Amino acid sequence: MGEADGQEPMRWDEQARGGAGGWVRGAAGSPPPPPPPDDGGLRPPLPTKVILMAVGGGVAIAALVLALSSFFGSSDTDDPVAASGTSSPPAPSTTTSAAEQDPVRTAASGAEQAAAVDALLDRSRTDRSTVIAAVGKVESCASAASVASAGKALDAAASRRDDLIARLDELSLDEIPSGREAADSLRVAWRHSADADRAFAAWADDAAGCTPGQVARGPSHTRGADSSALATAAKEDFLLVWAGIAEQYGLPARDATRI
């Protein structure tokens, strides 16, 4: 392919292909193009402008990657629940009550423990009055109805004595000097009283259909009287210890008729 064909000769132009360089056809009569540089068959080196553009683009891409990593990484937490977008359940409350913070405050003082026993003594005194009245009704045998009601009152009194014993057993008396000794005597007294109440209730049943003023005192009455005597002896033992406790804590003095 030559000038005879009407075509212009080829020449190397460094500005061709956007500065990358390349072979172009020269004007007619122009000197033959210089031979291509001997680069061992490799592609001609890129111009400096192209290299700078490539480097600048790489820096921009690296900056974009770092920015995206910073954005998405800022939402990561050590809590997998928080990272998943769901709210974690509220932490259990660590608030403790005053009683838990200071166990000493939960224990009743000696005065409080003694007052609790004194309250039971007041209830027992009421039952004693009820029992005395019921035994008198059976003794007099005013009517069949009065004897029957007296028997029911005595059974109920025995049940209340049992309840008093149960409540006494629930009390803590460790702050009262000789408190346990006093409680033991009181418990025995109430047990004998309950036995006496039930025995007198049985006596009321025996007296059904009695004639006024002529009520026989059979075995049930005897058992009731014996249990009542044992109860009185236990009450005396209790009062010997309780007198000092009542005085120490400012509680009313008592005798066998007031418990």
Side-chain angles (χ1 to χ4, degrees), residues 64 67 185:
L64 177 60
S185 297

Side-chain angles (χ1 to χ4, degrees), residues 7-250:
Q7 295 182 344
E8 297 178 348
M10 300 296 293
R11 65 183 181 85
W12 180 262
D13 186 355
E14 294 184 353
Q15 303 299 320
R17 294 194 300 169
W23 293 100
V24 299
R25 293 185 182 278
S30 60
D38 185 10
D39 56 2
L42 298 177
R43 183 179 179 180
L46 294 176
T48 303
K49 179 178 180 181
V50 175
I51 295 175
L52 291 178
M53 290 177 63
V55 171
V59 172
I61 293 174
L64 177 60
V65 171
L66 289 175
L68 292 176
S69 298
S70 175
F71 175 78
F72 289 105
S74 64
S75 64
D76 294 337
T77 65
D78 293 334
D79 186 355
V81 177
S84 65
T86 59
S87 60
S88 59
S93 174
T94 57
T95 304
T96 57
S97 64
E100 293 173 330
Q101 295 173 358
D102 187 6
V104 176
R105 296 177 57 185
T106 64
S109 64
E112 291 171 330
Q113 293 177 359
V117 176
D118 189 69
L120 295 181
L121 295 176
D122 279 337
R123 291 179 55 183
S124 177
R125 181 177 61 178
T126 301
D127 287 332
R128 182 176 185 276
S129 301
T130 300
V131 168
I132 292 175
V135 170
K137 287 182 179 180
V138 177
E139 188 77 45
S140 64
C141 188
S143 67
S146 66
V147 172
S149 66
K152 292 180 182 179
L154 289 165
D155 279 330
S159 296
R160 287 194 295 271
R161 308 276 197 188
D162 294 338
D163 182 64
L164 288 172
I165 294 173
R167 292 182 180 275
L168 178 64
D169 290 341
E170 294 173 354
L171 297 180
S172 175
L173 306 178
D174 57 311
E175 297 296 325
I176 302 177
S178 301
R180 182 52 54 192
E181 180 183 355
D184 290 343
S185 297
L186 184 58
R187 185 181 300 105
V188 172
W190 281 339
R191 282 176 179 168
H192 287 310
S193 293
D195 291 341
D197 296 340
R198 291 188 172 93
F200 286 132
W203 174 54
D205 292 340
D206 296 339
C210 60
T211 301
Q214 298 181 12
V215 178
R217 294 186 175 183
S220 296
H221 184 279
T222 301
R223 288 197 307 271
D226 291 344
S227 294
S228 182
L230 292 174
T232 299
K235 290 177 184 178
E236 295 293 347
D237 292 339
F238 166 74
L239 289 172
L240 289 176
V241 182
W242 182 254
I245 297 174
E247 182 179 1
Q248 178 180 352
Y249 295 110

